[in-house]
Amino acid sequence: MFTARRARFLEQIPGAVAVFPAAHLATRSNDSEFDFRQDSDFWYLTGFDEPEAVAVLLATPPRPRFVLFVRRRDPKQEVWNGYRAGTQGAIKRFGADAAYPIDQLDKVLPRLLRDADRLYFRLGHDAAMDRKVLGALERIRRTERQGHAAPAAIHDPCEVLHQMRLVKTPEELAHLRRATDITCAGHRAALRAARPGQHEYQLEAEVEYVFARLGAQSPGYSSIVGSGPNATILHYSTNRRKMEEGELVLIDAGAEVDGYTGDVTRTFPVGRRFSRAQRAVYAEVLHAQQEVIAGIKPGMEWNRIHERTCELLTESLLKLKLLKGRAKTLVKKKAYRKFYMHGTSHWLGMDVHDVGHYRRRKDWTKLEPGLVLTIEPGIYIAPDAKGVPPALRGIGVRIEDDILVTPEGHENLTAGVAKEIDEIEEIRGRALGRAAAG
Ligand code: CA
């Protein structure tokens, strides 16, 4: 899989060399570190999951090559911090044509870069690596009289690589499906587990417990569990509040499996049923989400997703008496922004906000089979919102699914979690009925 990807990448940069650094370990506090997460670009091309590594891909004569710089093996260190592949592992297990210890990078890199037409390297992403690469170029320039030349231009490799990552291969979709399946299982568990009087972090624990038990390496991003007024805070991830009967709770969480993540949001009652006001808002968001999903198909321009959602939600806001006036004028004035302030969609894949162009110059990206995107409309009414019906204040609803564009249209990868009002109330009723009985 990685060999084929590297070959596809190299075909697109004839005569050039590309350099990709691995992610660094990040300090959490004092001498302890965050769990390591490999850089997605590096991982996509190498499958190599260690820090302190650099991949060099050469599309120069005599033939395409893949060179890895890795940490030296060190039995003493490995006892403390885990196994290292070393240079032999890089060749045998990761398919490198050559491998060097990372401390040799400064010495070897000029040799790999010299005489290439162009260099593909993402400047500004990793300051230490910028210095190393620019240093290598300078050392090559000093060898001009020996007949060597430095690459004449530096390009961003992401122009090529991120367009590759945008269109998911069947292997990637298999990973992504595992991630979205486990994501759904976590949300289903939360839908059964929520109880009035519980704290948000307890519900977060239910979701993440299921993620971990089913094999997710980590959540793909900080889980959001916002109850009552917290549901109106878009990136709330403190999750410390006590949830009360009569409130809604919004959960935005995704499981990461083998480098791919799900991204799902559900909003449901902490008790058994939606209140009349909550139901009214929820029904509008659900309607918009289903309408927009129904229209997803190849050829559609990406920005139409958000435009259509804003049109639908403006009609909803009029119905709910949150806005007054003519729909057309309100859409033009973006009046919905007071209650719907975020975008409707983003690409999904190795990163929750995955890479790939949304727009190039004046052209919006057209949907094509293999793209995966979220559809996530919402309505958020601040607890202190002025000029709105009091019963609606403090209600926040978002519903989000992960949609694969297929040749025929689309497939909802996260249809496995309830979102219809009746279905949700039935699940909540059964869950709380059991709790009362048991
Ligand atoms: Ca999202």
Side-chain angles (χ1 to χ4, degrees):
M1 180 172 78
F2 297 104
T3 313
R5 281 180 195 169
R6 284 192 296 270
R8 264 172 62 216
F9 176 78
L10 284 167
E11 277 166 22
Q12 297 176 71
I13 61 160
V17 174
V19 176
F20 295 95
H24 298 286
L25 280 163
T27 301
R28 181 172 181 275
S29 177
N30 193 15
D31 62 349
S32 66
E33 284 149 347
F34 284 107
D35 281 345
F36 179 70
R37 165 60 158 82
Q38 187 57 280
D39 178 88
S40 296
D41 287 336
F42 185 90
W43 195 349
Y44 181 88
L45 288 169
T46 66
F48 189 73
D49 195 20
E50 292 184 30
E52 293 178 72
V54 171
V56 182
L57 275 71
L58 300 94
T60 48
R63 64 187 173 282
R65 278 153 295 151
F66 165 43
V67 178
L68 257 184
F69 292 84
V70 300
R71 298 181 299 185
R72 286 176 192 272
R73 296 220 48 194
D74 181 342
K76 266 193 216 146
Q77 276 294 320
E78 287 177 46
V79 166
W80 288 93
N81 299 322
Y83 176 78
R84 297 176 177 188
T87 49
Q88 282 195 3
I91 292 169
K92 280 205 188 108
R93 288 183 32 231
F94 295 92
D97 298 301
Y100 301 91
I102 187 74
D103 52 57
Q104 300 287 302
L105 182 69
D106 288 338
K107 206 176 106 198
V108 179
L109 191 59
R111 222 164 62 212
L112 300 175
L113 301 188
R114 73 188 181 198
D115 305 324
D117 297 343
R118 292 150 292 135
L119 167 64
Y120 282 81
F121 173 69
R122 180 154 247 206
L123 282 167
H125 176 66
D126 175 338
M129 197 60 203
D130 287 356
R131 281 195 298 278
K132 284 191 177 294
V133 168
L134 297 176
L137 295 180
E138 192 49 33
R139 278 197 298 283
I140 299 169
R141 289 178 195 127
R142 279 188 229 136
T143 62
E144 268 172 10
R145 268 172 297 144
Q146 292 147 46
H148 294 301
I154 302 179
H155 293 263
D156 186 348
C158 300
E159 277 297 310
V160 174
L161 188 63
H162 288 180
Q163 291 310 104
M164 282 177 65
R165 280 180 55 193
L166 178 59
V167 188
K168 274 68 184 173
T169 61
E171 296 89 16
E172 291 190 277
L173 286 174
H175 287 302
L176 199 53
R177 278 179 200 280
R178 270 199 75 204
T180 51
D181 286 350
I182 294 176
T183 298
C184 288
H187 279 269
R188 282 197 299 271
L191 193 50
R192 291 190 300 267
R195 297 287 182 274
Q198 246 181 3
H199 286 79
E200 293 162 342
Y201 54 80
Q202 291 174 298
L203 200 49
E204 179 185 19
E206 298 281 354
V207 177
E208 294 187 3
Y209 164 71
V210 172
F211 286 179
R213 191 166 56 80
L214 296 181
Q217 284 90 359
S218 156
Y221 53 95
S222 298
S223 303
I224 296 170
V225 180
S227 62
N230 285 346
T232 67
I233 304 168
L234 298 183
H235 286 165
Y236 174 81
S237 58
T238 336
N239 304 348
R240 305 310 294 175
R241 186 177 175 276
K242 193 174 179 181
M243 305 184 289
E244 304 286 358
E245 176 77 48
E247 295 174 344
L248 294 179
V249 58
L250 180 157
I251 303 178
D252 184 344
E256 183 177 290
V257 183
D258 298 333
Y260 292 80
T261 188
D263 182 7
V264 166
T265 307
R266 287 293 184 268
T267 310
F268 58 87
V270 171
R272 285 177 168 77
R273 298 173 64 85
F274 289 88
S275 73
R276 184 199 285 260
Q278 290 163 352
R279 176 187 293 259
V281 175
Y282 187 93
E284 294 301 328
V285 176
L286 182 62
H287 170 71
Q289 202 229 14
Q290 289 173 326
E291 279 284 308
V292 171
I293 290 175
I296 298 291
K297 59 175 187 220
M300 184 184 192
E301 288 188 332
W302 181 79
N303 64 317
R304 265 311 286 161
I305 296 170
H306 187 57
E307 285 173 8
R308 181 74 188 121
T309 305
C310 293
E311 290 161 13
L312 288 163
L313 287 181
T314 299
E315 285 164 25
S316 299
L317 295 167
L318 282 166
K319 234 192 270 177
L320 294 165
K321 300 196 164 50
L322 289 164
L323 292 179
K324 279 194 210 102
R326 278 188 55 224
K328 250 193 165 165
T329 326
L330 292 169
V331 170
K332 212 179 257 171
K333 288 192 337 206
K334 303 193 174 174
Y336 52 81
R337 275 199 172 163
K338 185 173 168 196
F339 306 102
Y340 181 49
M341 51 298 270
H342 60 74
T344 305
S345 176
H346 54 77
W347 310 133
L348 183 72
M350 299 188 81
D351 286 289
V352 61
H353 296 154
D354 209 31
V355 295
H357 287 296
Y358 292 97
R359 184 183 191 168
R360 294 189 86 170
R361 294 178 195 94
K362 287 210 166 124
D363 299 326
W364 291 101
T365 298
K366 284 202 175 84
L367 300 186
E368 60 176 291
L371 300 198
V372 180
L373 59 150
T374 65
I375 300 290
E376 48 178 313
I379 294 179
Y380 313 91
I381 308 154
D384 56 355
K386 303 228 163 46
V388 310
L392 296 180
R393 286 181 194 151
I395 293 178
V397 173
R398 178 165 66 254
I399 308 169
E400 173 177 29
D401 283 301
D402 303 339
I403 310 297
L404 165 67
V405 183
T406 63
E408 300 77 34
H410 64 270
E411 178 190 343
N412 184 350
L413 300 177
T414 51
V417 204
K419 61 180 176 182
E420 297 285 351
I421 291 175
D422 293 351
E423 242 183 313
I424 289 179
E425 289 192 338
E426 202 206 304
I427 295 167
R428 295 298 300 144
R430 256 187 290 144
L432 288 166
R434 265 206 304 275

